[in-house]
Amino acid sequence: MNTIAQNLASPIQYLKGVGPHKAALLARLDISTLEDALFFLPVRYEDRRSMANIVKLLPETTQAVIGKVIAAEVISPSRKNPRLKIFQVVIADGTGVLKGKWFNQAFLQRVFKSGQTVVLYGTVKRDFYGAGLEIMNPEYEIIGTGKNEPPESGTDQIHTGRIVPVYRLTEGLSQRQMRAMMFAAAGACSQMIQEMLPQNMLDRYQFPARRDALMAVHFPPDSASIDDLNRGITPYHQRLSFEELLMFQLGVATLRRRQLTEHGITLNASGKLAGRLEQSLPFTLTAAQRRVISEIRNDMQASAPMHRLVQGDVGSGKTLVALISMLDAVEAGYQAALMAPTEILAEQHYLNIHKLVEPLGLRVALQTSSTKNRFLDDIAAGTVDLIVGTHALIQEGVVFHRLGLIVIDEQHRFGVMQRAQLRKKGRMPDTLVMTATPIPRTLALTLYGDLDYSVIDELPPNRSPVITKLLGEKQKDRIYQDIESALRNGNQVYVVYPIIEESEKTSLKDVQTGAELLREKFPKHKVNLIHGRLKPAERDAVMRDFTMRRIDILACTTVIEVGVDVPNAALMIIVHAERFGFAQLHQLRGRVGRGSDQSHCILLAYGHGDDARQRLSVMVETTDGFRIAEEDLALRGPGEFFGTRQSGLPDLKIANIARDAKIVELTRKEAFTLLEQDAGLATAPRLRGATERFWGKRIELFTTA
Ligand code: ADP
Ligand code: MG
């Protein structure tokens, strides 16, 4: 298989040195072509430009050290604990000796042999006796076997004497093999990589050429900054993030531009029906609700279909805004559908809406997998006006009579594709997407760049923010007093646990044991529990009991995270708060503070370490969902924050939305400007081709100019 590779799409197996066996290993890393290899970026870099002489090593510095193995053996350092085994190598470089030690990794005996040349990487410490130096659990790499091996050409310029890349591996593949393969791949590709950004962009941003950037992210020049490399912010990284995000934004911008020229329905309503609903409410709308409603009305009256995202913190009254828009659609002679992510939530919406609109003479249907076909005929015949449901709404059997408006609640559980599927149920209906997850602006621009954007940035009056308290394990008994006083006040209580049942694998508190304990402590009160392993019908029954005040204390898992509204619940305790992400804690906490009573949330954090407590203090300081979301995004990265995989958007291999926030915005502007001047990208054919490949089958781009 020594054929010279022909192009970037050539199988990696044709690369010199990669046979079927290695190709199979690489496939596990999703590398099957030369191009895949090229975009498989190092996870970090190691500074081996000048390897430190052992004699000059300073304790408490992180170093790569090269030397020859002079001893490699398992030792038992403790007489008291003879089962403790440490594998130790001693390396020497002519200036001194250094030990590398690993706990309980006896298999390393088969890896290290005297005479090998190895690199150890890690934090250098003084050893137990204070005289010598050691690295605990170092990263290691065998550079030479010490046998009479045939000299490998170029080895020296790959593994030592430079900044070296470190890649993610799979079992059976060593770092050294991987790096050598990457070196060969980069060499084979270098003449095939073509520039795809327009020259004027390269000039304006002073970006390195595409080829140079791709070579340098794998094998950086000596002049590169090791810190910038490890943070992924060298000009090489930035240029590659830029091109990836530009392709992303070109797709989003194309969708967006297409939407603006679509002909949808013009919904003409005077707002009379909605006005009657408003008059029946025991409160008045907030200014923010009014503003967003009028933004939606403008969209609905235009002929282009509405694509609007409404973002509002938990409790800001999004459902009502949606309902008012739905009534506008009905007044204009159409049906309106509301899609919720769970059955409980769909049912709750259904009951609420039913109660509110029945006096107006409107008919509501519920479509979930439990209601099966009950309402299908009514929906098709148009004898129901409002349809509430789960994703069961997008099934094939559901045919609408005249669907004019779709509302999607808690959008982050639905993807672009599902949105599109539901829209196909009508002829270009207006679409409203509601989300309670406060989305940082950069992320919103990326994920929802094809949507207009409204924010309900005001909570109804007379709601005092939830007071949050952070307690440690030792203070946990205080919680019972808090529960006691909430119950005395006639309020209900949520106690949230991270897991469903006791497990030998963790020492986490579970909801079942928790419920038992609460029953013992509060024998006069009704305690029940709810979690994801109950059948949907059982879950609904418990939730209904809680809503009807037939339960005082609800032990639960995060199943209650989304949307349920029980205004009389005024205390929430989150057990093992350190196990939850901020966005999740925020959502959970949003379940209290919905009524007129002052609500409290207690975060109970287990374990030592001030780290978790330090982190959680943000939750105590603020109830501002945006601030919390920003912190969460910075901490966990966008993938986990949002489950981007679910969103149906292409994966980003290089760019990182949190780190590259500026580039996200820049590329968005560039994409719109570019398409403004040249909608089919005729002047940038390479960029166009790459963008089409990037989006694959997800959307048809550039089919019509
Ligand atoms: P969200 O879905 O944004 O979390 P909801 O629409 O469920 O919020 O509203 C939360 C609660 O606030 C509901 O009980 C709702 O009836 C009430 N509500 C909505 N708008 C107002 C308002 N303007 N003034 C007072 N209460 C309101
Ligand atoms: Mg809601």
Side-chain angles (χ1 to χ4, degrees), residues 283-286 289 312-320 349 409-410 436 460-461 463 563 565 567 591 594:
F283 48 77
T284 56
L285 298 177
T286 63
Q289 281 172 316
D313 215 339
V314 275
S316 59
K318 292 183 295 295
T319 314
L320 198 58
H349 279 320
D409 193 14
E410 309 293 354
R463 268 216 212 131
D565 193 23
R591 298 305 106 212
R594 309 190 132 233

Side-chain angles (χ1 to χ4, degrees), residues 422-464:
L422 187 56
R423 290 187 58 228
K424 284 199 193 119
K425 296 273 177 185
R427 291 188 55 234
M428 299 278 178
D430 286 332
T431 312
L432 197 58
V433 174
M434 322 277 280
T435 179
T437 306
I439 313 161
R441 194 183 143 71
T442 40
L443 202 54
L445 280 177
T446 315
L447 292 182
Y448 304 123
D450 61 328
L451 299 177
D452 285 304
Y453 187 62
S454 297
V455 192
I456 312 182
D457 49 5
E458 181 186 354
L459 290 179
N462 304 325
R463 268 216 212 131
S464 30

Side-chain angles (χ1 to χ4, degrees), residues 419-652:
R419 241 193 278 155
Q421 259 172 312
L422 187 56
R423 290 187 58 228
K424 284 199 193 119
K425 296 273 177 185
R427 291 188 55 234
M428 299 278 178
D430 286 332
T431 312
L432 197 58
V433 174
M434 322 277 280
T435 179
T437 306
I439 313 161
R441 194 183 143 71
T442 40
L443 202 54
L445 280 177
T446 315
L447 292 182
Y448 304 123
D450 61 328
L451 299 177
D452 285 304
Y453 187 62
S454 297
V455 192
I456 312 182
D457 49 5
E458 181 186 354
L459 290 179
N462 304 325
R463 268 216 212 131
S464 30
V466 179
I467 297 174
T468 302
K469 204 157 61 168
L470 180 59
L471 294 185
E473 199 174 345
K474 288 195 194 110
Q475 304 155 294
K476 72 167 183 282
D477 287 337
R478 280 204 229 156
I479 285 170
Y480 296 116
Q481 292 160 26
D482 287 310
I483 297 181
E484 189 71 60
S485 72
L487 293 172
R488 217 179 305 124
N489 203 27
N491 289 126
Q492 291 158 282
V493 181
Y494 292 102
V495 187
V496 186
Y497 296 86
I499 54 172
I500 298 177
E501 59 189 359
E502 208 174 353
S503 150
E504 286 183 4
K505 288 191 206 111
T506 79
S507 57
L508 296 179
K509 307 286 170 214
D510 65 281
V511 66
Q512 291 181 350
T513 317
E516 294 290 310
L517 208 69
L518 288 163
R519 282 194 182 110
E520 274 170 38
K521 291 262 180 196
F522 300 97
K524 292 204 201 94
H525 288 93
K526 278 157 287 171
V527 178
N528 210 337
L529 80 175
I530 187 168
H531 54 74
R533 229 180 281 154
L534 295 181
K535 295 205 186 79
E538 294 174 300
R539 240 171 16 203
D540 287 352
V542 175
M543 226 35 243
R544 213 165 292 128
D545 282 349
F546 192 62
T547 316
M548 312 292 278
R549 296 206 195 181
R550 291 193 289 249
I551 295 173
D552 301 305
I553 305 175
L554 185 61
C556 53
T557 56
T558 54
V559 290
I560 55 128
E561 181 187 341
V562 175
V564 255
D565 193 23
V566 183
N568 188 52
L571 173 63
M572 172 173 284
I573 291 153
I574 304 178
V575 182
H576 285 294
E578 79 282 358
R579 309 286 300 190
F580 296 93
F582 289 162
Q584 205 175 17
L585 289 172
H586 181 68
Q587 290 288 315
L588 284 168
R589 182 169 60 183
R591 298 305 106 212
V592 291
R594 309 190 132 233
S596 48
D597 294 315
Q598 174 63 58
S599 290
H600 296 266
C601 176
I602 299 176
L603 304 174
L604 181 57
Y606 281 78
H608 36 267
D610 294 337
D611 235 33
R613 304 201 60 165
Q614 182 63 35
R615 267 193 327 117
L616 286 169
S617 61
V618 174
M619 298 299 303
V620 177
E621 279 162 33
T622 183
T623 52
D624 176 353
F626 280 95
R627 169 129 184 252
I628 291 168
E630 293 279 0
E631 301 270 350
D632 206 32
L633 183 62
L635 219 62
R636 291 194 300 159
E640 264 189 83
F641 176 84
F642 229 100
T644 18
R645 257 162 215 283
Q646 278 176 29
S647 68
L649 297 169
D651 268 339
L652 295 173

Side-chain angles (χ1 to χ4, degrees), residues 40-211:
F40 191 85
L41 262 47
V43 286
R44 62 179 179 83
Y45 298 84
E46 232 173 77
D47 191 352
R48 299 186 188 166
R49 277 174 294 199
S50 56
M51 306 288 249
N53 284 340
I54 293 175
V55 70
K56 292 205 179 125
L57 288 178
L58 293 173
E60 305 305 328
T61 56
T62 300
Q63 297 273 0
V65 184
I66 190 168
K68 247 191 172 45
V69 176
I70 53 176
E73 62 196 337
V74 173
I75 57 173
S76 304
S78 162
R79 219 172 277 155
K80 274 194 232 137
N81 182 5
R83 293 205 2 237
L84 177 67
K85 301 256 187 271
I86 288 181
F87 179 74
Q88 171 177 288
V89 291
V90 182
I91 66 168
D93 71 349
T95 71
V97 296
L98 172 74
K99 284 175 280 196
K101 289 181 178 173
W102 295 263
F103 284 105
N104 297 325
Q105 296 201 29
F107 74 90
L108 289 174
Q109 286 175 95
R110 278 174 275 131
V111 176
F112 288 96
K113 298 273 176 291
S114 286
Q116 287 169 333
T117 303
V118 303
V119 172
L120 301 185
Y121 176 82
T123 305
V124 178
K125 309 241 182 207
R126 280 198 202 291
D127 68 9
F128 178 72
Y129 306 100
L133 293 172
E134 64 184 24
I135 305 182
M136 294 305 298
N137 297 310
E139 305 265 342
Y140 62 87
E141 200 174 311
I142 316 293
I143 298 290
T145 62
K147 306 243 175 63
N148 287 331
E149 57 198 333
E152 231 177 287
S153 63
T155 293
D156 280 352
Q157 52 172 319
I158 302 178
H159 305 288
T160 54
R162 63 175 312 137
I163 297 174
V164 296
V166 178
Y167 296 95
R168 186 159 63 82
L169 296 175
T170 184
E171 200 180 322
L173 199 62
S174 74
Q175 192 58 251
R176 186 162 179 270
Q177 288 171 323
M178 183 72 179
R179 191 179 299 127
M181 189 282 291
M182 280 295 182
F183 193 81
C189 293
S190 83
Q191 294 313 307
M192 303 173 198
I193 300 166
Q194 291 179 316
E195 188 52 68
M196 70 166 171
L197 292 180
Q199 188 60 43
N200 75 58
M201 257 185 224
L202 291 174
D203 295 344
R204 263 185 295 131
Y205 293 104
Q206 301 195 315
F207 279 142
R210 188 159 193 257
R211 173 185 306 152

